[in-house]
Amino acid sequence: MTATLTPTARLYDPRLRAMTVGSVALVSLLAFEALAVGTAMPTVARALDGLGLYALAFGGSFAAGVLAMVLSGIWCDARGPRAPMWGGVGLFVVGLLVAGSADAMGTLVVGRAVQGFGSGLLSVALYVVVGQAYPEELRRRVFAAFAAAWVVPSLVGPAVAGLIVEHLGWRWVFLAVPVVALPAVLLVESGLRTLDRPKPAGPPAGAAARIGWAAGAGVSAALLHHGGQQRGASAVILVAVSLVGLGVCAPRLLPAGFLRAARGLPTVVGLRGLAAAAFAGAEVVIPLMLSRQRGFSPTAAGLVLTVGALSWAAGSWTQGRLPAPRSSATLPRAGLACVAVGTATVALAVWPTVPVAVGVAGWAVAGLGMGLAYPSLSVLTLALSAPGEQGRNSSSLQLADSLFTATVLALTGAVLAAGTAPGPAGYAGTLAVAVACALLGALLAGRVVPTRGRPA
């Protein structure tokens, strides 16, 4: 597909304004729902007497999303992003309606799976929209706007969801979102009409096998999520089986040369996974560490996470307005180095003699690093993709993000649940894993350049 839009220096140019607003609104809805459901689910499980299916309500949605990302990539490359975008929004809304009207936990699990499938279709389609509708010099700003679209939900989403659950009922956490989704997708549609229509093409060779591997990876990730919440022998068995499943399936969904960090796209995708795993692995440990080691209230510990979210937005805004660096490795390397240094600084707060302010400052540095690295890796993925490969490569990028994060979170949960009460060594150990992921990414960042000595 060839974009008919001419290059422009303004993200909110009249030709792009509606598409930009609609895309950012859709990302915000996906972010709000992802964060709000976690707040509402304890109440949902009690109301529907479904505690036994609690983990499946999250794992099923995640597994469906993994499969949908692969399908969306194939679909976008064959027919363009318009149909996957509408299909994603449609299934996302249907899943919300099913979950919001459920009278049994099993029905809610089905609704969550449909919702996750729609989210996976939509998230990849939006990346392809950016690649095909926006000139290259604006893509860093678009992805910075996507990052900012996660900030407001991360700040107010759990609180708003709590108020909705308390005053309106848990069902409205699901039922209120579809009202906004349709106008948002219509705004994006208005921009897609200005693009050339692609010639319909069949699925690429190996598409059926890729879908099968995606199903295996999704099931393995869901089992890993469940196993990380267990204790004893069952946890060890589930985690081990799941890791074997991911080890077999995931490499077949990612670019060739991914495991050896081949230059270009394989390393770009790997860095995205390492960055996501590092930040998420630290993020789940910090509130627990602050509350148990330093006596913080849940609100105070949550405010520390807010510092990271705000600095992430600041980093995204900054990278979107910096001149293009001479090397495409500069921003990913700087971002991952900040994540490594910042997370290592947070780990110092495990010891009572270190002021908590040191850890808070470290988390701000880590968030800044994510803001520098994330959008730049998204832009590199599109820059290294031929027009007929943007869907596949965008899905690979988001799969790495999801699968790396799921693996680190499950292993972190298993480590923290191994004892009766985690101590300083346990917190420091889990944070050390996050630091190692970010440091490895910083060391490999130079390999995002496809040809040695030349920028992408």
Side-chain angles (χ1 to χ4, degrees):
M1 181 188 293
T2 303
T4 58
L5 293 171
T6 57
T8 175
R10 297 175 56 207
L11 188 58
Y12 291 95
D13 182 280
R15 295 164 295 173
L16 296 171
R17 185 183 299 122
M19 183 182 295
T20 302
V21 172
S23 298
V24 171
L26 288 172
V27 173
S28 294
L29 290 177
L30 295 178
F32 174 80
E33 198 59 31
L35 296 164
V37 167
T39 302
M41 279 304 295
T43 301
V44 174
R46 288 193 299 269
L48 299 181
D49 192 24
L51 190 60
L53 296 176
Y54 186 89
L56 188 58
F58 292 96
S61 176
F62 184 86
V66 168
L67 177 60
M69 289 176 194
V70 173
L71 286 170
S72 186
I74 295 170
W75 198 355
C76 286
D77 288 339
R79 301 298 176 95
R82 185 171 179 268
M85 183 188 71
W86 276 102
V89 170
L91 290 173
F92 180 68
V93 169
V94 168
L96 290 170
L97 295 176
V98 170
S101 59
D103 56 3
M105 193 65 173
T107 304
L108 184 131
V109 168
V110 172
R112 287 278 293 147
V114 174
Q115 174 194 343
F117 195 90
S119 297
L121 289 177
L122 179 58
S123 61
V124 173
L126 286 174
Y127 268 55
V128 179
V129 167
V130 173
Q132 297 185 353
Y134 290 83
E136 188 169 354
E137 68 267 22
L138 288 183
R139 291 175 187 168
R140 281 200 290 154
R141 294 191 179 187
V142 178
F143 286 120
F146 283 5
W150 274 86
V151 172
V152 173
S154 68
L155 295 177
V156 305
V160 171
L163 291 173
I164 292 174
V165 170
E166 184 176 348
H167 296 288
L168 298 178
W170 64 265
R171 296 183 186 277
W172 287 103
V173 172
F174 299 96
L175 298 178
V177 173
V179 177
V180 185
L182 184 58
V185 75
L186 288 174
L187 288 174
V188 181
E189 170 68 15
S190 67
L192 290 180
R193 295 195 192 103
T194 67
L195 301 179
D196 295 338
R197 299 279 180 172
K199 294 181 180 180
R210 185 170 168 81
I211 292 170
W213 292 119
V219 171
S220 298
L223 285 176
L224 184 63
H225 176 86
H226 179 66
Q229 299 178 353
Q230 309 303 309
R231 292 193 177 189
S234 61
V236 175
I237 294 172
L238 284 173
V239 169
V241 171
S242 302
L243 289 176
V244 170
L246 285 175
V248 172
C249 298
R252 290 166 172 81
L253 300 172
L254 302 175
F258 164 79
L259 290 177
R260 56 183 174 84
R263 286 188 167 273
L265 187 66
T267 296
V268 172
V269 171
L271 294 191
R272 177 67 171 258
L274 289 170
F279 195 81
E283 191 173 40
V284 298
V285 173
I286 288 172
L288 187 63
M289 179 189 75
L290 291 176
S291 62
R292 293 195 175 184
Q293 296 298 121
R294 308 306 292 262
F296 272 44
S297 68
T299 301
L303 288 174
V304 174
L305 297 184
T306 299
V307 169
L310 291 174
S311 63
W312 186 329
S316 297
W317 184 89
T318 300
Q319 66 80 38
R321 284 154 181 79
L322 289 172
R326 295 184 62 183
S327 171
S328 54
T330 300
L331 288 174
R333 180 185 290 118
L336 283 157
C338 285
V339 175
V341 172
T343 306
T345 304
V346 171
L348 296 176
V350 169
W351 287 275
T353 55
V354 177
V356 173
V358 172
V360 175
W363 193 235
V365 172
L368 180 69
M370 291 296 285
L372 294 175
Y374 243 56
S376 60
L377 291 171
S378 299
V379 170
L380 274 171
T381 299
L382 295 177
L384 295 171
S385 301
E389 298 176 347
Q390 289 179 334
R392 176 182 179 128
N393 294 339
S394 295
S395 72
S396 294
L397 189 75
Q398 297 184 46
L399 281 169
D401 189 322
S402 298
L403 296 177
F404 274 57
T405 299
T407 301
V408 167
L409 290 182
L411 294 176
T412 298
V415 170
L416 294 178
T420 54
Y427 298 126
T430 53
L431 289 172
V433 172
V435 172
C437 289
L439 187 59
L440 176 61
L443 294 174
L444 293 174
R447 300 184 67 79
V448 302
V449 181
T451 303
R452 187 176 300 277
R454 295 182 181 179

